[in-house]
Amino acid sequence: MDKTLRRGPERQLGVKNDTKSVFFININVNSLCVCVCVCVCVCVCVCGLQYDLSASTFSPDGRVFQVEYAMKAVENSSTAIGIRCKDGIVFGVEKLVLSKLYEEGSNKRIFNIDRHVGMAVAGLLADARSLAEVAREEASNFRSNYGHDIPLKHLSDRVAMYVHAYTLYSAVRPFGCSFILGSYNKDDGAQLYMVDPSGISYGYWGCAIGKAKQAAKTEIEKLQMREMTCRELVKEVAKIIYIVHDEVKDKAFELELSWVGEVTNGRHELVPKDIKEEAEKYAKDSLEEEDDSDEDNM
Amino acid sequence: MLGETEPQWLSEEVKTGTTIIAIEFNGGVVLGSDSRVSAGESVVNRVMNKLSPLHDKIYCALSGSAADAQTIAEAVNYQLDVHSMEIGEDPKVRSAATLVKNISYKYKEELSAHLIVAGWDRKDGGQVFATMKGLLTRQPFAVGGSGSSYVYGFVDAEYRKGMSREECQQFVVNTLALAMNRDGSSGGVAYLVTIDEHNTEEKVILGNDLPTFFDQ
């Protein structure tokens, strides 16, 4: 399939035989060269035809395909979840280990944005790193201009605006990552926001992004997070990551856990080693219990 | 007549040679100022209100060059308007003070104005910030302007922690009256603004209603 993005006025002679295959001949008036673009689409409406080549084009049914493709890029990455409880936020990321040669703890997917704000990402890691820098600059400028910590809703609105700007022009591509921002302070309590490649930000009690987000959301909905404390929640987050991890398709994984809340005095930190080990043990034990109970049923 | 030049006050900078004061109490703040604007030896305005609103519950007291102080106050008023809409709630007093401080510090060679920022917010209640020459410090009370030099002894001796709203208002009025009596660049009427959680009250105390002391 040979696709070339042509700028400038184009005349397209489309000869549509049936819904199964379409032939286009593109004539660029300026350069008088003829490019034959052959596009064979099997299914009816899922392929964007010529409407998916740039983010500056709407499709006839009102979709911007480039943004949707960016969201698919997020769904290819491994899962990240964030849950808000009554006194803080806990992030958990399933970090797939593709090679035994990787150094343990490299390629972190949880970032510190400011003392009090943490960010967990899913999708293209390079895109996410650049957005983390943008978020850090926003938080730093706010602190410099106004003298106090940036409120999380404001930070999430500002970064979402930035992500949205990249969905408007054909010269750039949308960011291929979603991320979850969380913070805690004594006056406003715990807050959790998620931003996706389309540039929308929502506030959540619990959310999941990445390949197993549906399964993770189901597990999160079972929790009574409004009554839990961070210490109890850490174990549940570890358990959910272990549950949604697919042993068959993806082999080894590292669990990244971080939290911010009253227990850390409002600072976003990685969960200390001993608490993390306790949480992983709880997660592995509860998985075994479920396996056992499955066997009984058989 | 040959060799007659214009009066000196036409070429002097207009200063709000002034007395300003702000004090915090449990649940709010009281700001006070005199009302004299001088250009050299001439009084250009004898009833100027030097307590300028930055937001509904944040005021600042102006001193130094009248133009510089007013410009800073207007600029910060605008910035706070935008800021409060962006964050969707009332701004913190610290934000207002930081904005004033940023301008005062960045242009400290060009400007000569000292603003005292005081107000009430949901997080820390009543707060008073001094921002002279680009510093930022929170204090229980602050005095400024040319008349303040004459009353440092009085405020240091008379201030007590935990004064009530009425005691604070009386303290402010007394301080202003004493300073206005001794400082040539302060005088006129006294303006008072009291800010708390529920409302912002502006008051004027005319010359003959000001407290009198031993020599009056």
Side-chain angles (χ1 to χ4, degrees):
Chain A
M1 194 161 68
D2 178 25
K3 266 190 191 166
T4 320
L5 180 62
R6 289 262 152 226
R7 294 179 205 276
E10 285 179 291
R11 259 185 281 125
Q12 290 171 345
L13 311 175
V15 179
K16 222 176 189 178
N17 295 330
D18 51 41
T19 53
K20 292 248 170 80
S21 67
V22 181
F23 291 86
F24 286 95
I25 302 175
N26 289 330
I27 302 177
N28 188 313
V29 176
N30 288 337
S31 65
L32 287 180
C33 74
V34 177
C35 148
V36 177
C37 179
V38 175
C39 173
V40 178
C41 51
V42 178
C43 35
V44 179
C45 242
V46 179
C47 178
L49 303 177
Q50 75 267 39
Y51 307 116
D52 63 349
L53 297 177
S54 87
S56 65
T57 310
F58 275 102
S59 76
D61 49 346
R63 296 150 72 178
V64 182
F65 280 106
Q66 278 295 309
V67 173
E68 294 187 18
Y69 295 162
M71 302 212 231
K72 287 209 186 112
V74 177
E75 278 165 34
N76 286 340
S77 115
S78 62
T79 320
I81 65 174
I83 308 187
R84 169 184 164 188
C85 61
K86 72 176 177 203
D87 66 349
I89 307 280
V90 180
F91 288 120
V93 177
E94 169 204 10
K95 198 169 72 177
L96 297 179
V97 176
L98 297 169
S99 155
K100 290 209 178 75
L101 297 172
Y102 277 152
E103 185 188 359
E104 206 183 296
S106 67
N107 279 349
K108 284 204 179 317
R109 286 181 42 193
I110 301 185
F111 302 95
N112 235 319
I113 300 304
D114 196 343
R115 285 199 291 250
H116 63 301
V117 177
M119 170 166 146
V121 307
L124 302 178
L125 192 49
D127 287 10
R129 285 206 187 111
S130 118
L131 280 174
E133 267 314 299
V134 167
R136 282 171 183 154
E137 258 183 69
E138 282 291 333
S140 162
N141 283 339
F142 186 95
R143 189 186 283 284
S144 167
N145 286 333
Y146 301 106
H148 63 90
D149 294 348
I150 186 169
L152 190 66
K153 176 157 204 324
H154 186 61
L155 174 63
S156 135
D157 283 347
R158 297 283 299 182
V159 185
M161 255 199 290
Y162 187 90
V163 169
H164 170 250
Y166 280 71
T167 66
L168 295 170
Y169 310 105
S170 60
V172 294
R173 66 161 173 82
F175 284 94
C177 64
S178 289
F179 50 94
I180 314 176
L181 291 163
S183 89
Y184 173 83
N185 68 45
K186 265 202 293 277
D187 307 299
D188 304 317
Q191 294 177 72
L192 192 68
Y193 285 87
M194 196 263 281
V195 179
D196 68 11
S198 65
I200 306 186
S201 90
Y202 292 108
Y204 285 92
W205 275 94
C207 69
I209 47 182
K211 61 170 66 144
K213 72 173 189 219
Q214 279 307 118
K217 276 195 190 135
T218 322
E219 292 300 320
I220 294 176
E221 279 166 17
K222 294 182 192 160
L223 294 177
Q224 297 291 340
M225 70 273 293
R226 288 163 218 251
E227 277 104 52
M228 296 171 82
T229 66
C230 271
R231 283 188 194 277
E232 296 159 11
L233 195 55
V234 168
K235 294 198 261 191
E236 297 300 327
V237 166
K239 179 174 156 199
I240 294 176
I241 296 286
Y242 270 84
I243 290 176
V244 304
H245 172 67
D246 188 339
E247 279 293 336
V248 177
K249 282 203 208 135
D250 315 307
K251 304 294 165 82
F253 81 103
E254 240 181 78
L255 172 65
E256 256 183 78
L257 278 177
S258 80
W259 57 2
V260 56
E262 213 179 312
V263 64
T264 65
N265 239 329
R267 297 183 98 95
H268 175 250
E269 300 169 342
L270 289 179
V271 169
K273 203 149 172 271
D274 50 344
I275 303 185
K276 183 169 166 213
E277 278 167 14
E278 196 191 317
E280 286 191 283
K281 185 166 171 303
Y282 170 84
K284 287 183 190 145
D285 290 345
S286 25
L287 274 186
E288 276 174 23
E289 272 176 29
E290 283 183 22
D291 285 346
D292 288 342
S293 64
D294 281 344
E295 281 173 19
D296 286 344
N297 287 337
M298 282 186 356
Chain B
M1 279 174 259
L2 295 171
E4 189 178 299
T5 50
E6 60 176 20
Q8 201 186 13
W9 54 265
L10 275 177
S11 49
E12 293 258 2
E13 192 192 349
V14 174
K15 285 190 155 283
T16 53
T18 271
T19 311
I20 50 175
I21 174 172
I23 179 169
E24 167 198 333
F25 63 89
N26 186 3
V29 292
V30 180
L31 292 102
S33 82
D34 74 308
S35 67
R36 180 172 292 181
V37 181
S38 48
E41 282 149 11
S42 164
V43 174
V44 169
N45 185 343
R46 59 184 169 85
V47 284
M48 176 177 170
N49 189 345
K50 300 172 191 176
L51 301 177
S52 186
L54 296 180
H55 199 79
D56 298 336
K57 294 209 182 300
I58 308 177
Y59 271 64
C60 72
L62 316 173
S63 75
S65 154
D68 291 350
Q70 277 188 341
T71 307
I72 299 176
E74 276 171 25
V76 173
N77 184 348
Y78 166 75
Q79 289 172 359
L80 274 183
D81 263 351
V82 175
H83 175 59
S84 70
M85 274 186 263
E86 280 183 337
I87 59 173
E89 56 180 23
D90 283 341
K92 311 247 181 311
V93 185
R94 184 172 282 274
S95 303
T98 307
L99 287 170
V100 171
K101 178 265 282 177
N102 284 340
I103 300 178
S104 302
Y105 183 74
K106 188 167 178 192
Y107 299 104
K108 78 190 304 223
E109 305 302 330
E110 290 97 333
L111 297 173
S112 92
H114 170 205
L115 274 70
I116 298 178
V117 179
W120 181 93
D121 66 35
R122 192 174 46 99
K123 183 173 175 221
D124 285 323
Q127 297 149 75
V128 172
F129 288 88
T131 69
M132 182 162 65
K133 297 209 198 303
L135 69 69
L136 177 65
T137 164
R138 184 180 170 188
Q139 298 176 184
F141 70 93
V143 290
S146 59
S148 66
S149 335
Y150 300 93
V151 288
Y152 273 115
F154 174 75
V155 296
D156 284 344
E158 284 295 308
Y159 173 77
R160 283 160 294 118
K161 251 170 52 170
M163 285 200 279
S164 73
R165 179 201 171 102
E166 287 70 27
E167 287 174 318
C168 283
Q169 287 173 323
Q170 194 55 51
F171 176 80
V172 165
V173 170
N174 285 342
T175 313
L176 287 173
L178 285 167
M180 281 151 67
N181 276 344
R182 288 293 183 179
D183 180 28
S185 312
S186 303
V189 304
Y191 287 99
L192 227 70
V193 167
T194 312
I195 308 174
D196 66 13
E197 182 179 355
H198 304 291
N199 55 11
T200 304
E201 184 198 318
E202 295 192 14
K203 216 160 66 165
V204 186
I205 303 177
L206 299 177
N208 52 342
D209 296 330
L210 285 171
T212 56
F213 298 92
F214 76 100
D215 56 348
Q216 286 157 314

